[in-house]
């Protein structure tokens, strides 16, 4: 009984540590209108699909999203960061997850103004290097002359 109690205490402590993680990024609440507006303005968008009850989400947020490396790329290239909080089981979020190919979390969708209907989707767990690589892919897409001309023409 004592061992079981110690294990529960350690797991609870670890969960509390993850939940109280220092957020390095400035997250705004997700809305489809916020995504559309940012893309219209030529800004790439990163949407984190998460929930308070999702332990894997908390691990991924701490290990890959809320890091100095991610913040540097996001800030340097004007990414809009939106948090789609699925804690309440929102049908709107479930529908978007299904359109992105499934309804599991954590999921990260990275939208590029160069191809706004074809986001890069990372599911379940990903490494810091994979995240940075995908963000850089979006950055390079948007720095291409054709992408810039398409954004200007769309305005």
């Amino acid at each position: 009984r004592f061992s079981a109690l110690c294990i529960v205490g350690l797991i609870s402590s670890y969960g509390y540590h993850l939940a109280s993680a220092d957020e390095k990024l400035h997250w705004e609440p997700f809305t489809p209108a916020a995504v559309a507006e940012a893309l219209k303005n030529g800004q790439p968008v990163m949407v984190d699909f998460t929930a308070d009850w999702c332990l894997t989400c908390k691990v991924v947020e701490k290990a890959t999203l809320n890091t100095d490396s991610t913040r540097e790329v996001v800030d340097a290239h004007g990414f809009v960061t939106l948090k789609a909080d699925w804690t309440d089981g929102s049908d709107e979020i479930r529908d978007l997850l299904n359109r992105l190919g499934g309804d599991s979390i954590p999921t990260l969708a990275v939208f590029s103004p160069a191809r706004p209907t074809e986001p890069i989707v990372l599911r379940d767990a990903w490494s810091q290097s994979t995240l940075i690589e995908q963000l850089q892919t979006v950055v390079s897409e948007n720095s291409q002359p054709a992408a810039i001309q398409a954004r200007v023409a769309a305005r």
Side-chain angles (χ1 to χ4, degrees):
R1 289 182 185 173
F2 179 74
S3 295
L5 186 58
C6 288
I7 290 171
V8 168
L10 286 171
I11 291 171
S12 297
S13 174
Y14 182 67
Y16 176 78
H17 172 71
L18 290 175
S20 63
D22 179 32
E23 289 197 349
K24 306 248 182 218
L25 297 176
H26 176 73
W27 295 98
E28 293 291 331
F30 163 80
T31 65
V35 174
E37 182 68 22
L39 293 172
K40 179 181 165 193
N41 292 332
Q43 295 175 280
V45 179
M46 185 168 67
V47 181
D48 175 27
F49 293 86
T50 187
D52 287 345
W53 45 260
C54 175
L55 183 59
T56 306
C57 297
K58 299 305 176 194
V59 170
V60 168
E61 288 169 6
K62 184 160 181 74
T64 69
L65 293 173
N66 289 311
T67 66
D68 291 329
S69 299
T70 302
R71 190 188 76 239
E72 287 172 14
V73 174
V74 165
D75 289 350
H77 300 287
F79 277 83
V80 172
T81 53
L82 303 174
K83 188 167 286 200
D85 186 353
W86 201 27
T87 300
D88 66 357
S90 159
D91 290 335
E92 180 180 51
I93 291 174
R94 180 189 317 274
D95 292 345
L96 181 53
L97 281 167
N98 283 324
R99 285 195 306 269
L100 293 172
D103 66 357
S104 65
I105 58 172
T107 295
L108 186 76
V110 185
F111 293 86
S112 168
R115 46 183 189 83
T117 60
E118 301 171 22
I120 295 169
V121 179
L122 302 175
R123 291 198 180 286
D124 302 323
W126 52 87
S127 67
Q128 175 75 58
S129 61
T130 298
L131 173 61
I132 298 297
E133 178 182 306
Q134 297 306 320
L135 294 177
Q136 292 293 358
T137 297
V138 169
V139 168
S140 67
E141 287 175 353
N142 291 314
S143 64
Q144 301 296 322
I148 294 169
Q149 289 174 0
R151 284 195 309 247
V152 170
R155 289 185 188 168

